[in-house]
Amino acid sequence: MKIKNVNLETVCGITSSFPDNRDIEFAFIGRSNVGKSSLINSLLRRRSLARTSSQPGKTQTVNYYKVNDQMYFVDLPGYGYAKVSKELKEKWLRMTERYFKTSRMLRVVFQLIDIRHEPTKLDIDMYKRLCSYGFSPIIIATKADKIKKSGINSGISSIKRVLNVVSDTPVIPFSSVTGLGRDEILEYIWEYFILFSGDD
């Protein structure tokens, strides 16, 4: 899949209504500071389309990127370690829940997990939540450049074991620094786009 053009089309805050899109959506969610914005910039080959920061909690809205005039990448707020109030974290969680429950065009969810560590309780809870909504998330194991190549397989095995993933769930090692996994992720997106096109 080649990225020909991309546009940040819609930004939704806590009180916003989500757009009633007619094109297929692919959503990305993960713990704060897991590298979600870096992933999206890498997939779209844009340096700063999605704002990155060393400070967790940079993404505080639901951002819809229109890709190739035919699909959306939906960037959701991170969960977990953002230095904000408990009340605001709960509002973000409710906003993401509302998105997952109401989007007519969402077809695939990518959940990002830091390959350097075992999934946290928050990661496990989010995975179970997504499954309860009827999705089988594809896992992206981020920051793969920060461990030895020999440790990637054991990191993937750890993620599968701790999350207790659905059988045959892809776990894709990814690095925004080296580009590892980028093409594989885009291949999955294209395959699902073809699969689901016209099913609405």
Side-chain angles (χ1 to χ4, degrees):
M1 174 181 171
K2 293 184 178 180
I3 303 300
K4 299 175 183 177
N5 57 74
V6 58
N7 178 50
L8 176 56
E9 186 172 285
T10 309
V11 176
C12 296
I14 291 171
T15 60
S16 303
S17 297
F18 297 130
D20 184 19
N21 291 325
R22 293 292 187 269
D23 292 314
I24 292 172
E25 298 171 5
F26 298 89
F28 299 83
I29 192 165
R31 182 170 54 81
S32 295
N33 214 31
V34 75
K36 185 162 47 61
S37 295
S38 295
L39 166 71
I40 290 174
N41 285 332
S42 175
L43 293 178
L44 298 177
R45 292 209 184 281
R46 302 294 192 275
R47 288 189 175 183
S48 57
L49 187 65
R51 293 183 300 168
T52 61
S53 174
S54 59
Q55 178 182 356
K58 190 68 174 178
T59 303
Q60 302 179 11
T61 52
V62 178
N63 301 325
Y64 293 77
Y65 297 93
K66 187 67 175 287
V67 180
N68 293 349
D69 297 318
Q70 60 187 173
M71 68 182 75
Y72 289 95
F73 289 6
V74 183
D75 184 10
L76 297 161
Y79 53 84
Y81 298 117
K83 294 182 179 179
V84 297
S85 67
K86 181 179 179 180
E87 180 183 5
L88 185 54
K89 289 180 185 179
E90 290 176 350
K91 286 182 178 179
W92 286 349
L93 180 59
R94 288 197 296 271
M95 177 170 63
T96 57
E97 285 182 333
R98 181 164 57 90
Y99 168 73
F100 288 127
K101 290 180 178 179
T102 62
S103 172
R104 291 192 314 110
M105 300 307 296
L106 177 60
R107 295 295 181 268
V108 179
V109 179
F110 293 91
Q111 184 179 4
L112 281 64
I113 306 288
D114 189 332
I115 198 172
R116 300 173 298 174
H117 313 290
E118 284 193 350
T120 66
K121 183 179 185 302
L122 290 170
D123 291 323
I124 297 168
D125 289 345
M126 179 56 70
Y127 182 80
K128 290 179 178 177
R129 193 184 300 268
L130 292 170
C131 290
S132 75
Y133 298 152
F135 299 102
S136 295
I138 293 175
I139 307 299
I140 300 176
T142 63
K143 309 197 179 189
D145 59 287
K146 297 185 181 295
I147 63 173
K148 294 180 179 179
K149 288 184 179 180
S150 59
I152 289 179
N153 286 338
S154 62
I156 290 173
S157 296
S158 174
I159 289 171
K160 288 183 175 181
R161 174 179 54 81
V162 175
L163 289 184
N164 191 24
V165 297
V166 175
S167 178
D168 297 326
T169 294
V171 178
I172 307 168
F174 173 79
S175 167
S176 61
V177 175
T178 67
L180 173 69
R182 177 184 182 272
D183 290 344
E184 186 176 355
I185 295 167
L186 288 175
E187 284 175 11
Y188 273 108
I189 289 172
W190 184 247
E191 287 174 5
Y192 280 109
F193 173 77
I194 295 298
L195 177 65
F196 290 116
S197 289
D199 71 348
D200 58 321

